[in-house]
Amino acid sequence: MTTQQTGKGYKAGPGGGPHNRTLQQSSTLINYQGTGKAAKKWQGPVTGGNQTNVSDQTNLPAVQSNTNAAYKTKLGKAKFSSQTNVTGGGNFKFQKKHFNLSNKPSGKYQAVKFNQSYKIAGANNWKGSKYQVFVNYQPQWHDQWWWRSHHNRIVFVFGAPYYWDTGYWYPAWGYDPGANYYYDGPIYASNPEMDPGQVVANVQSALQEQGYYQGEVDGILGPQTRAALAEYQSAQGLEPTGTVDEPTLETLGMV
């Protein structure tokens, strides 16, 4: 197993940490000033039990099936007519990069807590088989031995372990009980050679190039990045998940 950020080989050792541990998370309201193209108000899906309220972002509630149509009608087609990228990827091809990310995330991000009952809000309303992974997602808490015996590819990003499974990176809760995650859910990657931090950083860079994201490229799927994702997704006729999913990477030209 290899840690993608350090490039060093990881040798599995004796396991540790509690098994099937459950920690309940209290609801937290996070406010963030939007800086995207159509900065209005957006309230995205909750992450790890936290409600993310991003002020000055377009309102894109994932629970409404007519969100995309309403959003397009409100902004008008001309708003995005200058964009190179179109639904389905068009002719746009994003050049992937490798970013030298900090080993320690900024203090502006709040870590989420493990909640065994957590489900991604609004996912049941997202249409299409490529979103089913978000509907099915449920956090698991296991010790190191369990994770190593069930998954042969585990990487560490910002000190937190993630496991690879069929195109997605997932938090390996309990592998290191002290690890911090800032988003609880699947992160799509076109191949396992790109760890979750690099995937998110490239998405942030691509959104910057198209004017949707004006924050720091730091590899963290935080509130501002999720708001920018939802805005971009709605503009492209995708489900406004606010997450890194397969249709979004295809449309960004990253697959």
Side-chain angles (χ1 to χ4, degrees):
M1 291 177 281
T2 303
T3 64
Q4 295 294 120
Q5 293 215 320
T6 63
K8 298 179 180 179
Y10 176 80
K11 184 176 181 181
H19 186 73
N20 291 333
R21 180 181 176 188
T22 301
L23 301 174
Q24 293 297 327
Q25 178 178 359
S26 60
S27 297
T28 303
L29 190 66
I30 302 175
N31 294 304
Y32 206 97
Q33 184 73 24
T35 56
K37 283 190 164 187
K40 297 190 181 178
K41 182 179 288 183
W42 176 73
Q43 180 169 317
V46 296
T47 301
N50 286 355
Q51 184 181 16
T52 305
N53 186 17
V54 184
S55 62
D56 289 343
Q57 290 289 340
T58 304
N59 188 19
L60 303 172
V63 295
Q64 296 181 4
S65 59
N66 62 346
T67 301
N68 293 342
Y71 182 85
K72 289 178 180 177
T73 301
K74 185 174 182 180
L75 294 179
K77 293 181 180 179
K79 179 67 180 178
F80 301 99
S81 61
S82 62
Q83 292 303 303
T84 304
N85 194 14
V86 295
T87 303
N91 296 320
F92 183 81
K93 182 67 176 177
F94 176 77
Q95 184 64 43
K96 296 178 185 176
K97 311 165 190 174
H98 181 82
F99 293 89
N100 294 321
L101 303 176
S102 171
N103 290 327
K104 191 173 183 180
S106 168
K108 69 181 179 181
Y109 296 113
Q110 181 177 354
V112 298
K113 295 182 180 179
F114 179 76
N115 181 351
Q116 193 173 28
S117 301
Y118 167 67
K119 300 293 288 184
I120 296 176
N124 282 316
N125 299 289
W126 301 339
K127 308 300 181 184
S129 60
K130 292 182 178 180
Y131 298 106
Q132 193 62 38
V133 63
F134 296 95
V135 177
N136 297 337
Y137 177 69
Q138 186 171 6
Q140 301 180 62
W141 186 286
H142 301 290
D143 60 23
Q144 292 181 23
W145 178 87
W146 190 95
W147 285 117
R148 289 197 312 272
S149 63
H150 287 77
H151 298 278
N152 59 11
R153 187 181 290 268
I154 294 176
V155 299
F156 290 81
V157 180
F158 307 114
Y162 289 80
Y163 70 94
W164 173 262
D165 187 8
T166 321
Y168 284 85
W169 290 107
Y170 299 83
W173 288 101
Y175 189 106
D176 177 0
N180 287 325
Y181 296 99
Y182 303 94
Y183 162 74
D184 188 10
I187 296 177
Y188 181 76
S190 56
N191 65 74
E193 299 308 314
M194 288 190 71
D195 68 40
Q198 291 297 322
V199 172
V200 173
N202 274 272
V203 167
Q204 290 172 327
S205 179
L207 292 175
Q208 271 188 345
E209 289 184 7
Q210 299 194 45
Y212 291 93
Y213 178 68
Q214 298 178 25
E216 180 184 359
V217 176
D218 56 12
I220 299 288
L221 193 53
Q224 188 179 10
T225 302
R226 299 197 67 198
L229 272 165
E231 185 180 342
Y232 171 82
Q233 289 161 341
S234 286
Q236 300 300 319
L238 304 174
E239 294 286 355
T241 66
T243 65
V244 179
D245 52 52
E246 184 176 359
T248 300
L249 259 61
E250 289 174 342
T251 308
L252 283 170
M254 293 176 58
V255 176

